[in-house]
Amino acid sequence: MRAIKTLFSLIAICLSSLLMSPTSHATALEADYIVAVVGDTVITRNELRSRLEVVLKQLTKQGTPLPPQEDLERQMLERMIMETAQFAYARESGLRIDDTQLDQAIGRIAASNQMTLAQFRSTLEKDGIHYPSFREEIRGEMIMARLREREVESRLVISESEIDNYLANEGAQGNDEYHIAHILLRAPESASPEQLLKLRQRGEQALTKARSGENFAELTAAYSDAQDALQGGDIGWRRLNGLPTLYAETVARLQPGQISDLLRSSAGFHIIKLIDKRGGNQPTSVRQTRARHILIRTNEVTSEAEARHRLETVRERIVNGMDFAEQARIFSQDGSAAKGGELGWLNPGDTVPDFERAMDALQPGEVSAIVQSPFGMHLIQVLERRDRDVTDERQRMTARQVIRERKLEIAYQDWLRQLRDRTYVENRLEKEL
């Protein structure tokens, strides 16, 4: 029973608007029409209705009071618009998740719930979840995660001077952790004064309701444009210095249960609720990995299949005794090629998740199978590992991670807003409402 509960908790996080079950197909018999146009893709009323059915079940199961149907429809359609825009951009830029990667990801979800893949599938189907649709939803979540890694995370630059400044001014802060939830009302990049005024009024309306005691999770479902809106806007536990500056400065002044004023940022308007606070523990040692890799980039010229084939040939040579470093100098399309693919000593979080997960599974001296990341196809070899009880180094590493977390959410929201603004969108539901 505990495993089953964990399973559906995980699904709720990964699939914030799960998929329609086979019984939902009956809805398709109702009159259908287009409610939004996104680029060259349309979203129909029945597609929106099917997504809403599942979300309503999810909110009911969580015990979240339901927001007005009109508000929930508006929020769900905006979410579908953003998903469609991201999928279109991924498709145009050649980002794909093949069936092998998808099966591996679903296998990890099943294993984390102590189930075989067959047991996992059976459990989903018993709960009325259409398994082929579930697979495609997971594929979609992976594509959006890869987009975030490639378009936002990989482009964040953290300078040594930023780290020095952080350590001088904030490094001595306590390690207390804060559990917060938020509402984001996203503003268009070039919003007019009239649009900002309308958005501010909507934010003030949400704030008034929150402070009058209305359920915050219900309000996020009705008002928030953030990706976590259907999870109650729950950001989870964060250290104060791991939050965006605006959030950190605000949360520091709140007591558990309190709600902030309406806040303004470049992304739009925000409302923050401090749910709880606790003391945090800082790790005393770090597991570091010294590794090297060979990268073949995928793009319009080099397909995933071609890159994979080239690397399989290289891997076979290495397994048969050829020098990894020499092969990296010849074939790798990464800046580390001149150093034989050497990446030096890596701390947790230094590489993108797909790369780090594969690297962590290797024994020293072992060469990985082909690993796909947002940058292309990799071969990875772990040279050695060590546990370091560091002081200054750990402080700088922690500072880098904190600054990265702080900048990431702001950068991601900016990227989403820019993508939304440059995508042709016709929201016909707004005209209905």
Side-chain angles (χ1 to χ4, degrees):
M1 179 62 69
R2 182 178 178 184
I4 300 299
K5 289 181 180 178
T6 306
L7 164 64
F8 291 109
S9 174
L10 177 61
I11 292 172
I13 293 171
C14 293
L15 310 177
S16 56
S17 54
L18 210 52
L19 303 146
M20 60 182 178
S21 67
T23 57
S24 301
H25 292 292
T27 309
L29 299 176
E30 300 179 20
D32 201 9
Y33 54 91
I34 294 171
V35 292
V37 180
V38 185
D40 59 1
T41 304
V42 299
I43 300 172
T44 68
R45 162 60 78 176
N46 281 343
E47 288 171 336
L48 175 59
R49 192 178 285 127
S50 294
R51 291 285 290 269
L52 280 171
E53 283 180 9
V54 178
V55 168
L56 288 170
K57 289 178 183 177
Q58 179 183 331
L59 294 176
T60 301
K61 190 171 183 178
Q62 293 171 349
T64 302
L66 299 179
Q69 179 80 5
E70 181 179 297
D71 290 339
L72 193 56
E73 280 191 358
R74 183 188 296 109
Q75 293 300 102
M76 178 52 69
L77 182 57
E78 179 59 28
R79 185 180 186 87
M80 293 174 74
I81 287 170
M82 290 304 304
E83 288 175 359
T84 303
Q86 289 177 79
F87 292 148
Y89 182 77
R91 191 165 55 248
E92 291 165 5
S93 60
L95 196 162
R96 293 177 297 276
I97 301 294
D98 62 31
D99 287 342
T100 300
Q101 295 170 278
L102 182 59
D103 290 338
Q104 290 172 347
I106 295 176
R108 285 194 294 270
I109 296 174
S112 70
N113 286 276
Q114 292 81 49
M115 296 184 190
T116 65
L117 191 57
Q119 291 170 330
F120 182 70
R121 177 171 183 165
S122 176
T123 301
L124 291 176
E125 290 177 342
K126 284 178 183 177
D127 202 56
I129 296 172
H130 190 222
Y131 185 72
S133 298
F134 173 85
R135 277 174 53 84
E136 292 311 306
E137 187 75 7
I138 291 290
R139 193 194 304 271
E141 292 289 336
M142 291 174 69
I143 286 172
M144 286 194 283
R146 286 244 171 106
L147 269 180
R148 176 175 168 132
E149 290 169 6
R150 188 185 71 183
E151 301 295 325
V152 183
E153 293 185 34
S154 66
R155 299 183 182 184
L156 286 180
V157 177
I158 301 167
S159 67
E160 294 301 313
S161 61
E162 285 182 284
I163 295 175
D164 292 338
N165 183 63
Y166 168 85
L167 291 172
N169 295 288
E170 302 180 62
Q173 286 188 359
N175 294 318
D176 287 347
E177 294 178 325
Y178 297 78
H179 185 190
I180 65 176
H182 73 137
I183 294 172
L184 164 65
L185 294 93
R186 189 182 292 115
E189 189 170 16
S190 302
S192 66
E194 292 77 14
Q195 286 176 305
L196 289 175
L197 177 60
K198 184 177 179 180
L199 202 62
R200 178 181 288 276
Q201 289 171 342
R202 184 168 165 78
E204 289 172 347
Q205 181 184 58
L207 179 60
T208 298
K209 290 182 177 181
R211 285 184 167 170
S212 68
E214 291 196 26
N215 185 282
F216 198 82
E218 178 184 354
L219 293 174
T220 63
Y223 288 91
S224 184
D225 296 319
Q227 295 293 104
D228 51 27
L230 296 177
Q231 282 76 53
D234 195 333
I235 293 178
W237 288 95
R238 300 279 189 90
R239 290 197 302 273
L240 193 66
N241 52 19
L243 292 166
T245 302
L246 177 66
Y247 279 36
E249 292 174 349
T250 302
V251 167
R253 297 192 295 267
L254 297 178
Q255 295 299 318
Q258 287 188 325
I259 296 168
S260 73
D261 294 330
L262 186 66
L263 309 172
R264 177 76 168 97
S265 78
S266 60
F269 294 93
H270 311 257
I271 300 170
I272 302 171
K273 179 177 181 178
L274 176 58
I275 299 172
D276 203 357
K277 176 181 174 181
R278 69 186 182 192
N281 297 314
Q282 199 164 352
T284 58
S285 65
V286 173
R287 168 62 62 94
Q288 296 179 321
T289 302
R290 182 171 159 244
R292 56 188 178 184
H293 79 139
I294 299 171
L295 168 67
I296 303 294
R297 297 187 183 276
T298 53
N299 48 43
E300 294 78 5
V301 177
T302 306
S303 68
E304 291 179 7
E306 183 180 353
R308 186 180 293 276
H309 176 72
R310 287 164 62 182
L311 270 187
E312 284 171 348
T313 302
V314 173
R315 186 181 190 280
E316 186 175 350
R317 291 173 183 163
I318 294 170
V319 169
N320 289 328
M322 296 195 76
D323 183 59
F324 190 104
E326 187 59 33
Q327 295 296 299
R329 292 187 187 97
I330 297 171
F331 294 103
S332 187
Q333 298 170 346
D334 182 62
S336 65
K339 298 181 292 184
E342 273 267 10
L343 298 171
W345 286 101
L346 299 170
N347 295 307
D350 280 353
T351 62
V352 295
D354 289 316
F355 189 102
E356 183 168 302
R357 188 162 42 241
M359 180 180 70
D360 288 347
L362 296 174
Q363 296 298 317
E366 186 179 358
V367 177
S368 72
I370 310 301
V371 177
Q372 185 169 8
S373 84
F375 304 103
M377 303 290 181
H378 307 255
L379 282 179
I380 308 169
Q381 184 180 47
V382 169
L383 299 174
E384 54 182 318
R385 286 198 172 92
R386 66 186 183 190
D387 290 316
R388 290 290 300 274
D389 186 4
V390 292
T391 306
D392 293 342
E393 186 179 346
R394 176 171 55 80
Q395 288 179 345
R396 294 191 73 80
M397 181 197 71
T398 301
R400 184 181 296 278
Q401 291 176 334
V402 165
I403 296 168
R404 185 179 183 83
E405 288 176 9
R406 178 177 292 179
K407 296 171 75 172
L408 179 58
E409 188 59 31
I410 296 172
Y412 182 53
Q413 292 301 329
D414 283 345
W415 182 79
L416 285 177
R417 189 176 70 253
Q418 291 164 14
L419 178 65
R420 175 69 159 80
D421 288 348
R422 66 174 180 260
T423 302
Y424 173 77
V425 176
E426 181 184 347
N427 187 331
R428 299 182 183 179
L429 186 64
E430 288 181 346
K431 299 174 184 176
E432 291 182 30
L433 298 178

